[in-house]
Amino acid sequence: AAVAMFTGKANCPYYAKAELLADYLQTNLPSFRVHKITQHPDKWEQWLHDICETNGWEHRQSPIIWRELLDRGGKGQLLGGLNDFLEYAQKYYGITSMMLSEEMLAIAEENLQAHLEIVKEDEEIKSLIKPMQIWITSASVPISYHLIPLLANGEVFGMTTEISIHLLDTEQFKEMLRSIVMEAEDMAFPLLRSISEHTKTDQAFIDADIIIVLDDVLLNLEVQSLENYIREVSEICQVYAPLIEKNAKSEVKVISSGKTFANLKATMLRIYGPSIRPENIIAISTSWESAAKAMLARKLNMNTAGVKDVIVWGNVTGSIYIDLSHAKLYGYDCAIRGPPNFQRPLLSMIYDSEWIHSELVSAQSTLSSRVSRGTGMLPAHAVATVLRYWYHGSPSEEIISVGILSEGQFCIPEGIIFSMPVRLQNGNWEAMTELEINETTQKVLGRLAHELVQEKLVALKEVNEMHPYEAE
């Protein structure tokens, strides 16, 4: 048993003539079988060179025709080009093609258009199944370890979206990254197409759809000054930002998390990566939000899920303000009951005003310790939650706190990443500027903004001192 293989340029009239004759033979001769492979004109020369080199053939024109012996294996038997095939058909089957030149040209044009449509369809299908590329920096930290299962189980991006995870860290953590990769592979997540470790920074963020920046500095003000730590953060961002611009996709989403300088990292990545969409760089403050809700739920002896609309303002890994002025309680067991969507203002349910003004403020230091010294489960959940909202929308009418680029909302200075109330819909966020802010809150926001502006100025000052000529 044998099959005749036909390959040629999609726009080649000689290929059109050969394939029409081959179709006629296949239709009228039960033992004659044909397989056709149409090549794009731009790829034809390279493809022809490769197949001839593989099989030891000498052939330079379109089409190329050979016989493959299905029951014997090994390489095929070269028949040659159009003239060789016409001679073959005449000699063995007594059949000759009488196609005119005009017909050959017309069919060649049809072949090219059909081939281009097939290629386009194939590309569209592949784009649907191409995995989402997620890069995690400083990926040896505990947050990353807890985050991987949350990303891979399908709840963040949906049960039809496959993902590829890339873990980036320094050479000293290579073995740890390898262990994380093997453990993730052993868990056999259906949607995890691949997971890999990377230690070469210059290859970072290739084709990235999402970048999760977890880099921290080991903050110890007894060892060195705050300015030096800010310089370290700035240097990290100076390395990452150009690589993101060069290697990542144009619509890449960049998320800054970790234990230190989350807002500053996001701000400096925006400054050093001006071509990155500013609205696609955010800092995660949801850890504070959920921890504060849990603290309030314990005070009220209720389910944490029933506490909504707690706002976290300010510097995610610095000074924050937990704002309860819009907070609501759902399903709270009190004298007044209602349907599941019935809610009560939180402040009217906490009668101990002293607790609100003193204990909540002092409790922020306890929360800070828990958020910063935890195992990484809480911040990992926060990153996954915000990503899910970013891609699928946040709950309707619910306030979510995210560190976003200030454009003057709530009288916050422009150009800094500041945690504020947002809603997320259709892959975008929108600051909830319709919320009323009282005078006390406005004064606090001014103080928090000043801290972030000073961080940014120190970071830029350090850069100017390091590169005075570039600064000029």
Side-chain angles (χ1 to χ4, degrees):
V3 60
M5 305 292 294
F6 285 75
T7 301
K9 290 191 291 185
N11 63 345
C12 173
Y14 304 110
Y15 173 60
K17 185 169 184 173
E19 69 163 343
L20 263 292
L21 178 56
D23 288 343
Y24 178 84
L25 293 175
Q26 181 171 246
T27 302
N28 292 278
L29 302 170
S31 62
F32 190 89
R33 295 175 58 194
V34 178
H35 182 68
K36 294 180 287 186
I37 307 171
T38 306
Q39 297 292 337
H40 191 283
D42 295 342
K43 299 180 179 179
W44 165 252
E45 294 294 340
Q46 185 62 48
W47 188 91
L48 180 63
H49 173 271
D50 292 344
I51 196 166
C52 287
E53 190 174 81
T54 301
N55 291 278
W57 295 335
E58 286 289 337
H59 191 80
R60 295 289 178 267
Q61 302 87 29
S62 171
I64 180 172
I65 304 161
W66 71 95
R67 295 172 69 235
E68 286 195 353
L69 307 175
L70 302 181
D71 56 348
R72 298 184 193 177
K75 66 181 184 180
Q77 177 187 357
L78 179 65
L79 294 179
L82 173 62
N83 291 336
D84 301 296
F85 180 57
L86 292 175
E87 184 179 332
Y88 172 84
Q90 177 66 40
K91 180 178 179 181
Y92 287 95
Y93 304 112
I95 297 173
T96 302
S97 174
M98 301 300 291
M99 185 187 295
L100 301 175
S101 298
E102 293 81 359
E103 293 178 280
M104 291 164 55
L105 291 170
I107 293 173
E109 179 61 28
E110 290 178 7
N111 281 347
L112 177 60
Q113 294 306 318
H115 178 74
L116 293 176
E117 288 179 11
I118 291 169
V119 168
K120 183 180 179 181
E121 288 177 6
D122 287 345
E123 288 176 351
E124 289 175 352
I125 291 169
K126 287 177 182 177
S127 70
L128 294 174
I129 63 173
K130 189 175 182 180
M132 181 177 288
Q133 305 293 323
I134 303 171
W135 284 77
I136 304 175
T137 73
S138 194
S140 62
V141 299
I143 301 175
S144 173
Y145 183 79
H146 290 287
L147 181 59
I148 291 167
L150 299 178
L151 296 175
N153 66 14
E155 293 184 9
V156 173
F157 305 108
M159 299 306 294
T160 59
T161 302
E162 291 189 343
I163 64 172
S164 287
I165 297 177
H166 305 266
L167 307 178
L168 177 67
D169 215 321
T170 57
E171 188 71 27
Q172 70 183 96
F173 295 107
K174 188 169 185 176
E175 288 304 315
M176 184 181 293
L177 294 182
R178 189 163 292 166
S179 298
I180 296 173
V181 166
M182 292 180 66
E183 188 170 355
E185 290 174 341
D186 289 344
M187 295 175 78
F189 292 104
L191 296 173
L192 183 58
R193 177 82 68 86
S194 65
I195 181 168
S196 54
E197 74 270 12
H198 303 265
T199 55
K200 295 188 182 343
T201 307
D202 59 342
Q203 298 176 8
F205 314 130
I206 292 175
D207 291 332
D209 293 288
I210 296 167
I211 298 170
I212 301 166
V213 179
L214 302 179
D215 296 73
D216 279 321
V217 294
L218 299 175
L219 202 59
N220 186 346
L221 296 179
E222 295 178 1
V223 175
Q224 61 176 335
S225 67
L226 182 65
E227 288 77 9
N228 285 338
Y229 289 116
I230 289 175
R231 172 179 287 183
E232 285 185 40
V233 173
S234 183
E235 289 173 351
I236 291 169
C237 295
Q238 285 182 77
V239 172
Y240 284 165
L243 288 168
I244 294 171
E245 290 184 302
K246 177 184 174 184
N247 294 338
K249 292 178 181 169
S250 60
E251 295 295 308
V252 64
K253 289 178 166 60
V254 183
I255 292 175
S256 176
S257 186
K259 299 178 182 179
T260 60
F261 297 107
N263 290 53
L264 181 63
K265 283 184 293 187
T267 299
M268 300 314 288
L269 285 171
R270 184 191 69 81
I271 291 172
Y272 297 137
S275 71
I276 306 169
R277 288 184 65 192
E279 59 269 31
N280 279 7
I281 305 176
I282 66 171
I284 298 295
S285 51
T286 321
S287 298
W288 283 106
E289 189 180 300
S290 55
K293 289 176 180 177
M295 182 185 66
L296 291 162
R298 284 190 284 269
K299 171 70 175 176
L300 294 164
N301 193 28
M302 65 175 293
N303 183 357
T304 304
V307 183
K308 306 286 187 184
D309 299 346
V310 172
I311 302 174
V312 177
W313 298 95
N315 187 357
V316 175
T317 48
S319 298
I320 61 160
Y321 174 57
I322 297 174
D323 181 1
L324 305 182
S325 60
H326 297 275
K328 303 176 185 65
L329 303 178
Y330 292 81
Y332 181 52
D333 188 10
C334 62
I336 302 175
R337 306 296 292 272
N341 61 349
F342 176 71
Q343 46 87 7
R344 303 281 291 163
L346 182 143
L347 291 178
S348 67
M349 294 293 102
I350 298 180
Y351 303 107
D352 187 353
S353 59
E354 182 62 28
W355 182 87
I356 294 175
H357 294 295
S358 61
E359 289 296 318
L360 183 60
V361 174
S362 64
Q364 286 190 26
S365 61
T366 306
L367 286 177
S368 179
S369 174
R370 189 176 300 142
V371 169
S372 63
R373 297 181 187 175
T375 62
M377 196 183 334
L378 176 58
H381 177 263
V383 171
T385 299
V386 171
L387 268 175
R388 187 175 78 248
Y389 291 164
W390 208 349
Y391 277 84
H392 300 290
S394 55
S396 177
E397 303 302 320
E398 193 169 321
I399 299 173
I400 306 297
S401 300
V402 175
I404 61 171
L405 178 65
S406 170
E407 296 176 340
Q409 307 97 326
F410 306 106
C411 299
I412 298 165
E414 296 181 19
I416 56 174
I417 301 290
F418 196 94
S419 180
M420 63 181 79
V422 304
R423 63 172 64 85
L424 297 105
Q425 292 176 325
N426 303 317
N428 299 302
W429 52 257
E430 179 188 11
M432 301 180 71
T433 52
E434 72 275 13
L435 295 178
E436 293 185 10
I437 306 301
N438 60 40
E439 188 176 341
T440 301
T441 299
Q442 197 68 65
K443 288 180 180 178
V444 175
L445 298 190
R447 178 173 55 82
L448 299 179
H450 178 75
E451 177 186 290
L452 283 166
V453 169
Q454 290 305 306
E455 271 190 3
K456 177 183 173 182
L457 291 175
V458 170
L460 292 174
K461 175 176 177 289
E462 298 290 348
V463 172
N464 291 345
E465 289 177 354
M466 291 167 60
H467 308 289
Y469 299 107
E470 291 181 19
E472 291 174 9

